[in-house]
Amino acid sequence: MRRIGLPEIWDAREADPGFMASLATFSFVALGLELVVSGTILTLTGSVSTFYPLGWQVVEWVGLGALWVLLARALVAWSRRRGVDPLPSEEAGAGRDDAVDGRDDAASGTFTANRSNTGRAAVGRGAAGRDDAAAGRVGVDGGVDHRRWREILLCFVLAVVLAIVLPALIGAPWGLAPLDRYLQLFHVYGPLGWLAMVAWVCYLVGRSFLVAGLLAYSHRAIREVLTFQGSRWVPWGGLVAGLTMGAVAFLAGGQAAGVTALLSCVLLGVIHVRSGESLRVTTLFTVLVLIFV
């Protein structure tokens, strides 16, 4: 993420920690649309089953996935409207823009602090801007350098290994989540199980968009409040996403699912930090990791 110029509109206001926390909250609440769909089906039919007839199941999964992607894109547009771009283009030199914005925010914060008590918030933004400058210097052209890509791939492999091995160590049966899902769908739908599997992947992609948004926006909100030295290296978003999604997984699937979701999200938080807070990179690896969770 990097700060950008505010649009020329009458109600343009710079994003503050509360706004970023609101985006994270919207991302989490939007996941509850699945419960809304199940409640609607329960109201209309009087029962809820694990799987529905193939046509209805495909419509549900693809529809939820598409709706979640649209909501995630709407949150990105809303963030840009408030002067924070979660998806900066590499050609724009995100690191250099963050460095400039960090210095500008710091100067603005110091000037405002000398005039009124509200200067404390500006100083906080200035410190966050300096962190942006440091976090943004991840590559010559604003991208992620090779060393950090190795660290990102290492965290990804570790997250996948934990998702496969950890449940069995806690007490759940051994298995590979995507393979188990396909075998389950094949058992229910027969040869057309592949179609249900494609629909499930669409559902998973949409869900991952919102989980990545929850992680990225909450990380930004906390980092703009906690501006002590080194705070940019703490995976705040991974901790928030891990606690929330871990609690949901624990209620739905038990201890093994909860612990696996918690640790996977923390590692995704590390990936987000090491990628220079790129929502694009975080979303990609969130999709790849959640396939195995």
Side-chain angles (χ1 to χ4, degrees):
M1 292 189 183
R2 66 182 177 93
R3 292 195 176 274
I4 58 177
L6 291 175
E8 296 181 357
I9 53 178
W10 68 273
D11 61 341
R13 290 183 300 166
E14 189 177 62
D16 56 13
F19 173 74
M20 303 309 296
S22 297
L23 293 184
T25 303
F26 280 127
S27 298
F28 178 71
V29 172
L31 293 171
L33 287 175
E34 185 175 7
L35 298 178
V36 175
V37 172
S38 298
T40 303
I41 294 174
L42 177 63
T43 301
L44 296 176
T45 65
S47 63
V48 176
S49 59
T50 304
F51 297 106
Y52 302 104
L54 180 61
W56 289 110
Q57 191 65 72
V58 170
V59 169
E60 179 190 356
W61 279 342
V62 173
L64 279 173
L67 183 58
W68 281 337
V69 169
L70 291 176
L71 287 173
R73 294 298 302 177
L75 293 178
V76 169
W78 195 8
S79 179
R80 286 171 174 168
R81 183 183 176 91
R82 296 289 295 272
V84 175
D85 189 1
L87 300 172
S89 60
E90 294 185 359
E91 291 79 5
R96 291 188 293 274
D97 288 345
D98 277 341
V100 174
D101 290 339
R103 289 193 296 270
D104 290 343
D105 285 345
S108 174
T110 304
F111 176 76
T112 309
N114 291 332
R115 296 185 59 187
S116 67
N117 291 332
T118 58
R120 295 189 185 91
V123 172
R125 289 195 300 273
R130 290 191 297 272
D131 284 347
D132 285 342
R137 291 192 294 268
V138 295
V140 177
D141 298 323
V144 182
D145 62 27
H146 297 293
R147 183 172 61 86
R148 295 205 178 191
W149 270 117
R150 288 196 297 268
E151 296 171 356
I152 289 172
L153 292 176
L154 178 62
C155 289
F156 164 67
V157 172
L158 181 58
V160 172
V161 171
L162 283 176
I164 296 174
V165 175
L166 188 59
L169 296 178
I170 294 178
W174 282 92
L176 192 62
L179 178 61
D180 293 341
R181 171 66 67 175
Y182 176 74
L183 293 177
Q184 189 178 25
L185 294 175
F186 183 82
H187 176 73
V188 175
Y189 299 114
L192 291 178
W194 66 270
L195 182 59
M197 188 68 182
V198 171
W200 178 76
V201 171
C202 294
Y203 161 88
L204 179 69
V205 169
R207 186 170 182 267
S208 299
F209 268 62
L210 289 181
V211 172
L214 166 64
L215 188 155
Y217 298 130
S218 60
H219 178 84
R220 184 76 180 195
I222 295 175
R223 199 167 67 81
E224 289 192 356
V225 173
L226 303 179
T227 57
F228 59 86
Q229 184 177 6
S231 66
R232 68 177 181 271
W233 303 118
V234 180
W236 302 112
L239 294 172
V240 172
L243 291 174
T244 53
M245 301 308 299
V248 172
F250 175 77
L251 294 175
Q255 180 181 359
V259 174
T260 302
L262 170 63
L263 295 180
S264 297
C265 287
V266 170
L267 288 172
L268 287 172
V270 176
I271 289 175
H272 182 67
V273 171
R274 301 306 291 168
S275 68
E277 298 185 21
S278 169
L279 181 57
R280 183 178 287 108
V281 174
T282 304
T283 302
L284 170 63
F285 283 100
T286 301
V287 173
L288 297 177
V289 169
L290 291 188
I291 289 177
F292 296 93
V293 175

